[in-house]
């Protein structure tokens, strides 16, 4: 593979927003997640929990609650007082309706998905009917003093339970009147502080389950108004609660970052009497667990530490497989970094601003693993703030570093970048053609003369960039059969002849840019596309799917290549397929056309298509803001089978030479750079990687609840 200088970048100051609420689809196929910055994400369980949709946040739109209704329609509500329906095809907040009761703290859908109940600041519970094209106010239920923090429908839709401060009440939906009011502090002696009911559930048996700020999970007989069971699971607050569909399992989240699993089990083996039993805590989070969900096969939790944790229920897993693995997601399954290769610039995307950096450089040379001193340090050139409350959808910098663009929900901005010595200036391009925003993906051509803008309904707008600073709309590419989903991935060819576009329905369309015609569509594969790239010399499209499968499609011949067919016939290594982090970027080695470079959050891989036995192992080294050397790469052996060890290169180098040669194969893996948010080749001798260590951004989070540890 030759020698590479590795720029190891750790100055991307991304701090992911915490998880505020979760909503599991009634059929258990998808999970909706809202973050503290108002962003909404949708994860597809069938597509290896891939983050298939992202709707960026808004400074004026908080999301306190999410719910699915009327099939696949997603609604959100927050402290702004509006109920918002999200357009999952157009990736935007489609429409909003004023709740009429001030800030909305909670919202739930009934069992049939035809009605929404909201709990408001003024103490009211309101019912809205879900109708085609929106929602309609139906009626007010009995109003009492105190904000309604949580709600739950009875499975029969006859009653609603509403939790507030120091009490909860049960409301008859037909009459709209409160039929029971229970003080949660009634059994507490000398209760000197108020007790907040943070979460609540009404079971089909009539049992009410409450979670409160005293760290208790309590079970009530609401008809009698009596306490049946009480479990003090934490010394701090229990913030969230979710019940399994069969009502035999409960997950709760606390302010200490711990989650607890409660199960309804027989008191005696074979007996009919059952009681709720608490399991040990699971400390997957460092901060408040504000959201939990219970899917048919897993317990799901989201914390203010930005982590989404999915812990499978082992009794639901048929056999030991990847479905039994614990999964943790912290960073988005999309790129927030773009690179100007020729100018050696990096563009970092944050929620409301962009940062442009120039990489450092060295004049020294060294051996593998050696840290080289810098003659010029990395330089922060400019920060570009987005005006208004809308968050940034996407951004990109051109390969030459002279163009920069970004888009929000309502505006698309294009800038001309000029670097004069050590300084940099930005000039906004005037009179950019007005097209329907937002842009979901931006991509410049290899020669920086064209800009491709991903839009709604499968369309891609093509702009010509003009000197000294202008642009012209050339054409809009559309799939011939139509599409209702937005385009979220673009890949132009290096020769400017082809463009590949992936839409939300997972279809990959190829366009001929010379005549602006649709060329072909890649055969359908039933999984989400996580990354694509077109080889600069062969014009073969390399595709990475969220289930970790890799395909190569010949664009000129409109068919899969022989290498791709051989890979699918042979099958990829089990350890490769069992990874939980999707490939987010693909590039190619200009010195060796058979080398494909790809990465996910936890590994960097060089895949050699030549399938020829080789000489030495490949590795890469580096330290913070420094340049290092990598040793020559092998010409690898054929694809490994499941009996071979898919080793990290640093582990492989520690083996004796004879053992190392036996383990050589086409997958050359480096796990030194973690978490890896971006990787690209600047030129044939230089590689840049961008990391964001977990502890670096956790130090910027609010201090968690301190726990007493034994021996301290």
């Amino acid at each position: 593979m030759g020698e590479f200088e590795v720029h190891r970048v750790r100055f991307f100051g991304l701090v992911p927003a915490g998880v505020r609420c979760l909503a599991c689809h009634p059929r258990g196929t998808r999970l909706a997640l809202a973050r503290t910055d108002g962003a909404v994400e949708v994860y597809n369980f069938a597509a290896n929990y891939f983050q298939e949709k992202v709707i960026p946040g808004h400074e004026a739109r908080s999301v306190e609650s999410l719910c699915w209704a009327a099939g696949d329609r997603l609604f959100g509500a927050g402290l702004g007082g509006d109920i918002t329906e999200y357009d999952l095809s157009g990736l935007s907040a489609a429409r909003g309706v004023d709740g009429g009761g001030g800030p909305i703290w909670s919202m739930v859908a009934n069992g049939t998905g035809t009605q929404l109940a909201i709990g408001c600041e003024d103490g009211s519970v309101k019912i809205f009917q879900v109708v085609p094209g929106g929602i309609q106010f139906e009626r007010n239920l009995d109003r009492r003093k105190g904000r309604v923090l949580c709600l739950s429908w009875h499975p029969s839709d006859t009653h609603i339970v509403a939790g507030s401060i120091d009490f909860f009440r049960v409301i008859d939906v037909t009459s709209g009147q409160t039929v029971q009011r229970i003080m949660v502090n009634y059994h507490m002696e000398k209760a000197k502080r108020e007790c907040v009911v943070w979460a609540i559930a009404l079971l089909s048996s009539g049992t009410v389950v409450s979670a409160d700020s005293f760290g208790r999970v309590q079970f009530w007989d609401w008809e009698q108004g009596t306490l049946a069971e009480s479990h003090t699971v934490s010394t701090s607050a229990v913030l969230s609660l979710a019940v399994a569909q069969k009502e035999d399992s409960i997950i709760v989240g606390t302010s200490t970052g711990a989650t607890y699993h409660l199960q309804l089990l027989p008191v005696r083996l074979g007996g009919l009497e059952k009681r709720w039993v608490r399991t040990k805590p699971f400390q997957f989070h460092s901060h408040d667990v504000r959201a939990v969900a219970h899917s048919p096969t897993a317990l799901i939790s989201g914390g203010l530490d930005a982590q989404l944790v999915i812990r499978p229920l082992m009794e639901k897993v048929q056999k030991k497989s990847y479905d039994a693995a614990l999964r943790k997601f912290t960073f988005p399954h999309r790129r927030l970094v773009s690179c100007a290769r020729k100018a050696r610039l990096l563009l970092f995307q944050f929620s409301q601003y962009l940062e442009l950096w120039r990489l450092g450089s060295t004049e020294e040379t060294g051996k593998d693993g050696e840290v080289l001193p810098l003659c010029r340090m990395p330089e922060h050139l400019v920060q570009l703030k987005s005006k208004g409350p809308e968050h940034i959808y996407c951004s990109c910098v051109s390969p030459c570093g002279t163009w920069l663009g970004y888009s929000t929900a309502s505006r698309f901005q294009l800038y001309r970048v000029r670097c004069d010595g050590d300084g940099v200036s930005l000039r906004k391009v005037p009179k950019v053609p007005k097209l329907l925003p937002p842009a979901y993906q931006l991509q410049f051509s290899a020669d920086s003369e064209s800009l491709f803008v991903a839009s709604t309904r499968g369309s891609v707008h093509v702009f010509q960039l003009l000197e000294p600073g202008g642009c012209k709309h050339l054409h809009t590419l559309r799939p011939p059969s139509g599409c209702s989903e937005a385009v979220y991935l673009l890949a132009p060819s290096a020769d400017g002849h082809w463009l590949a576009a992936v839409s939300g329905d997972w279809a990959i369309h190829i366009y001929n840019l010379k005549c602006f015609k649709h060329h072909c569509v890649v055969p359908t594969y039933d999984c989400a596309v996580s990354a694509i790239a077109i080889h600069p010399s062969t014009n073969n499209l390399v595709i990475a799917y969220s289930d970790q499968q890799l395909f190569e499609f010949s664009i000129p011949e409109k068919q899969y290549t022989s290498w791709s067919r051989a890979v699918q016939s042979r099958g990829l290594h089990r350890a490769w397929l069992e990874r939980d982090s999707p490939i987010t970027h693909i590039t190619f080695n200009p010195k060796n056309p058979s080398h494909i470079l790809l990465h996910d959050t936890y590994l960097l891989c060089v895949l050699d298509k030549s399938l020829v036995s080789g000489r030495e192992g490949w590795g890469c080294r580096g330290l913070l803001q420094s340049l290092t050397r990598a040793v020559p790469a092998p010409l690898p052996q054929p694809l490994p089978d499941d009996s071979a060890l898919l080793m990290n290169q640093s582990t492989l180098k520690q083996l004796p030479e004879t053992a190392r040669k036996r383990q050589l194969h086409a997958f050359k893996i480096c796990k030194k750079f973690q978490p890896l948010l971006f990787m690209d080749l600047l030129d044939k001798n230089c590689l840049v990687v961008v990391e964001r260590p977990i502890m670096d951004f956790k130090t910027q989070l609010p201090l968690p609840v301190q726990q007493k540890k034994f021996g301290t």
Side-chain angles (χ1 to χ4, degrees), residues 89-91 394 407 435-442 452-463 476-479 483-490 501-504:
S89 296
L91 302 181
C394 60
S407 175
L435 301 171
L436 290 177
Y440 302 102
Q441 183 76 17
L442 299 176
F452 307 103
V453 180
S455 188
T456 57
R457 299 187 178 278
S459 60
V460 180
H461 304 296
V462 183
F463 290 89
T476 298
L477 305 170
R478 292 184 176 89
C483 178
S484 62
E485 300 282 339
V487 173
Y488 70 95
L489 281 178
L490 294 173
V502 184
S503 51

Side-chain angles (χ1 to χ4, degrees), residues 409-613:
S410 62
R411 295 182 299 117
F412 167 63
Q413 304 287 357
L414 183 63
Y415 291 84
R416 189 64 193 263
V417 183
R418 296 190 183 278
C419 296
D420 302 321
D422 294 333
V424 63
S425 63
L426 293 179
R427 186 173 67 86
K428 184 177 177 181
V429 176
K431 298 180 180 180
V432 175
K434 294 187 179 296
L435 301 171
L436 290 177
Y440 302 102
Q441 183 76 17
L442 299 176
Q443 191 71 49
F444 288 91
S445 61
D447 58 8
S448 300
E449 294 183 358
S450 300
L451 172 63
F452 307 103
V453 180
S455 188
T456 57
R457 299 187 178 278
S459 60
V460 180
H461 304 296
V462 183
F463 290 89
Q464 180 184 5
L465 302 178
L466 307 173
E467 296 291 345
C471 68
K472 174 184 177 182
H473 180 245
L474 294 180
H475 196 79
T476 298
L477 305 170
R478 292 184 176 89
S481 57
C483 178
S484 62
E485 300 282 339
V487 173
Y488 70 95
L489 281 178
L490 294 173
S493 63
D495 59 7
H497 198 143
W498 308 104
L499 176 71
V502 184
S503 51
D505 58 0
W506 305 342
I508 306 175
H509 293 274
I510 311 296
Y511 298 95
N512 188 322
L513 296 177
K514 298 302 180 182
C515 58
F516 296 116
K517 298 291 185 181
H518 185 270
H519 178 67
C520 67
V521 60
V522 177
T524 303
Y525 182 73
D526 191 22
C527 201
V529 181
S530 63
I532 56 173
I534 298 178
H535 197 284
S537 58
T538 63
N539 278 335
N540 290 337
L541 176 67
V542 178
I543 310 164
Y545 289 93
S546 60
D547 63 354
Q548 315 302 350
Q549 292 289 349
L550 298 173
F551 289 83
E552 186 181 50
F553 182 81
S554 173
I555 295 178
E557 298 178 5
K558 302 183 182 181
Q559 64 180 2
Y560 288 120
T561 64
S562 57
W563 178 86
S564 182
R565 298 178 190 276
V567 168
Q568 293 305 311
S569 176
R570 174 78 177 271
L572 295 172
H573 196 282
R574 179 179 177 181
W576 177 267
L577 297 176
E578 290 182 351
R579 294 178 302 107
D580 61 2
S581 180
I583 297 297
T584 55
H585 184 55
I586 302 172
T587 189
F588 306 94
N589 182 1
K591 291 195 296 187
N592 192 330
S594 66
H595 286 180
I596 302 173
L597 282 74
L598 32 81
H599 81 87
D600 64 14
T601 307
Y602 301 106
L603 64 82
L604 166 63
C605 177
V606 178
L607 176 58
D608 194 323
K609 293 170 47 185
S610 62
L611 305 182
V612 179
S613 60

Side-chain angles (χ1 to χ4, degrees), residues 135-152:
I135 58 174
Q136 291 180 352
F137 174 74
E138 186 173 327
R139 55 194 296 223
N140 278 314
L141 303 184
D142 187 20
R143 176 180 170 183
R144 296 293 175 92
K145 184 179 180 181
R147 63 177 61 133
V148 180
L149 296 173
C150 51
L151 291 170
S152 178

Side-chain angles (χ1 to χ4, degrees), residues 249-323:
S249 176
I250 293 175
I251 178 176
V252 297
T254 68
S255 58
T256 62
T259 56
Y260 295 84
H261 186 202
L262 290 86
Q263 293 178 281
L264 187 61
L265 300 174
V267 176
R268 294 180 179 177
L269 186 64
L272 297 178
E273 183 184 359
K274 294 183 177 181
R275 295 183 67 87
W276 288 95
V277 178
R278 184 192 70 185
T279 64
K280 66 178 182 179
F282 296 94
Q283 195 73 39
F284 298 130
H285 301 274
S286 60
H287 289 67
D288 294 5
V289 181
R290 301 290 297 272
V292 291
H294 202 310
S295 78
T297 59
L299 304 178
I300 306 169
S301 59
L304 293 185
D305 58 1
Q307 276 199 128
L308 174 66
V309 178
I310 302 170
R311 185 173 71 87
L313 293 167
M314 299 307 296
E315 62 271 19
K316 303 293 184 180
V317 179
Q318 299 297 326
K319 60 181 180 179
K320 185 178 180 181
S321 65
Y322 181 59
D323 293 333

